[in-house]
Amino acid sequence: MLFRSSLRAPVYESRSVTTVINPLGTMQDEVDLVLSDAVLGAATASLDTEPDIDVEANEVADLLTITVRADDPDDAARIATQITEAYVQAQSTTAVAVSSAATPDPSPVAPDRLIHLLAGTTLGALIGAALTGLQRIRLLLPARARGGARPDPI
């Protein structure tokens, strides 16, 4: 699985944070609204694929964070912005304000190169240790067990 994930294209992430001012219901209601066809469906109707989206609510601060992952940082930011704008437009009873607009982040969030580097180094060390151990065992065996020359019977 680690090998398969290292062959994937890089994945980029972009977030937008929206402040919900005096929500009428719970913040989970706001999350449900973002994930509804009225908001998410309208914002992503022109896309070829279903975007990877995560919506989190902070009940204490009344913040709604929309996170989008895509193969391109600009696409991630554009989709997050479209969803945020559709959410703001869908609000008729609650005031909302965009606290932090989505911006492209050039650093990929997956695959994690450090994990792959550490896994490759560890695997290489283990294989090297195993081969060295096998070579030492082979040197300790008598010549006959190694398939070497047999003495002639008398």
Side-chain angles (χ1 to χ4, degrees):
M1 184 157 116
L2 186 64
F3 178 70
R4 188 176 357 167
S5 69
S6 66
L7 296 178
R8 288 190 332 202
V11 176
Y12 300 91
E13 193 172 81
S14 187
R15 290 187 172 125
S16 69
V17 179
T18 304
T19 303
V20 182
I21 303 162
N22 298 323
L24 294 176
T26 66
M27 287 301 289
Q28 184 58 46
D29 294 336
E30 301 302 317
V31 170
D32 294 341
L33 177 61
V34 171
L35 296 174
S36 71
D37 284 339
V39 174
L40 187 59
T44 60
S46 62
L47 299 176
D48 295 337
T49 62
E50 187 75 21
D52 184 5
I53 299 167
D54 185 33
V55 181
E56 296 175 5
N58 182 328
E59 292 281 346
V60 177
D62 291 339
L63 294 176
L64 199 63
T65 303
I66 299 170
T67 305
V68 176
R69 285 170 289 287
D71 294 339
D72 181 67
D74 294 325
D75 286 347
R78 181 179 50 81
I79 295 167
T81 300
Q82 285 176 333
I83 294 169
T84 302
E85 288 173 355
Y87 168 69
V88 170
Q89 289 174 0
Q91 285 296 351
S92 58
T93 57
T94 303
V96 294
V98 178
S99 304
S100 174
T103 57
D105 184 359
S107 303
V109 295
D112 190 345
R113 293 181 185 195
L114 179 60
I115 289 176
H116 287 103
L117 179 66
L118 291 174
T121 301
T122 303
L123 185 62
L126 289 173
I127 291 172
L131 291 175
T132 301
L134 287 174
Q135 185 178 17
R136 288 188 179 183
I137 289 173
R138 186 171 174 244
L139 291 174
L140 294 175
L141 292 176
R144 186 172 186 174
R146 284 186 278 156
R150 295 184 182 162
D152 291 332
I154 302 182

